[in-house]
C-alpha cells in the first residue's frame, strides 16, 4: 500500500516560518498533480495549495502570498514553505495526490492522503 508521509510540523510563534515535507514514494510521482490541505477539529478539510506535474501552482486565498508549494520530482517529494504564520494557520496539514490533471481545490479529486502533521502557531 503506497503511503504519503508528512513531516516538519511543530510549534512556532506568529510571524515565524515552517517547511513541511511530504515523502511520496510513487513510481509515477511525476505523473501526478499534488496538493496540500489542512484541517482543524470539527471543520472540513480545507484546500491550501496544489502544484501540477510541471510546477504550475495555485493557492487558497487565506495563504496566498505567504505559502509556497514546490516539488522535487527526482526525490519524489512535495514541500510547503509557510512564512508569516498566523494563529489561524493552526491545523493538521495533509499532503495528497490528485487523480485529475486539472487544477482543483476539491478534496474529492484527491485519492491518496498522508496521515498529517500538526502545525501550531502561538500568538
Amino acid at each position: 500500500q503506497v503511503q504519503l508521509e508528512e513531516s516538519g510540523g511543530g510549534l512556532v510563534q506568529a510571524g515565524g516560518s515552517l517547511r513541511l515535507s511530504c515523502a511520496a514514494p510513487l513510481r509515477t510521482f511525476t505523473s501526478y498533480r499534488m496538493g496540500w490541505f489542512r484541517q482543524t477539529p470539527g471543520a472540513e478539510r480545507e484546500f491550501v495549495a496544489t502544484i501540477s506535474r510541471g510546477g504550475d501552482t495555485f493557492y487558497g486565498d487565506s495563504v496566498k502570498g505567504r505559502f509556497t508549494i514546490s516539488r522535487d520530482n527526482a526525490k519524489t517529494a512535495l514541500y510547503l514553505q509557510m512564512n508569516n504564520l498566523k494563529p489561524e494557520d493552526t491545523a493538521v496539514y495533509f499532503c495528497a495526490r490528485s487523480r485529475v490533471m486539472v487544477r482543483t481545490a476539491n478534496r474529492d479529486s484527491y485519492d491518496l492522503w498522508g496521515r498529517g502533521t500538526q502545525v501550531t502557531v502561538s500568538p
Side-chain angles (χ1 to χ4, degrees):
Q1 178 74 24
V2 175
Q3 291 185 336
L4 306 178
E5 185 172 357
E6 303 90 343
S7 61
L11 174 64
V12 64
Q13 288 187 329
S17 298
L18 281 175
R19 187 190 193 213
L20 304 184
S21 299
C22 173
L26 307 170
R27 287 189 296 110
T28 55
F29 177 80
T30 56
S31 299
Y32 292 102
R33 169 179 290 277
M34 301 293 294
W36 287 98
F37 287 73
R38 65 187 183 186
Q39 190 170 23
T40 56
E44 292 187 350
R45 199 162 290 189
E46 176 191 9
F47 169 75
V48 175
T50 183
I51 185 168
S52 72
R53 297 177 297 173
D56 176 60
T57 59
F58 178 66
Y59 298 92
D61 288 341
S62 61
V63 307
K64 201 174 297 182
R66 299 187 298 122
F67 290 11
T68 302
I69 187 172
S70 62
R71 64 192 294 163
D72 186 330
N73 288 334
K75 297 182 179 179
T76 63
L78 182 71
Y79 305 101
L80 185 68
Q81 178 67 44
M82 305 185 296
N83 297 330
N84 190 23
L85 282 160
K86 304 175 181 180
E88 50 264 43
D89 293 319
T90 294
V92 177
Y93 283 72
F94 299 88
C95 67
R97 181 186 73 181
S98 176
R99 56 182 174 81
V100 300
M101 295 303 171
V102 297
R103 174 189 295 179
T104 177
N106 184 347
R107 62 183 179 274
D108 292 335
S109 296
Y110 293 78
D111 64 352
L112 185 65
W113 297 82
R115 295 181 178 181
T117 185
Q118 176 71 48
V119 171
T120 302
V121 184
S122 62

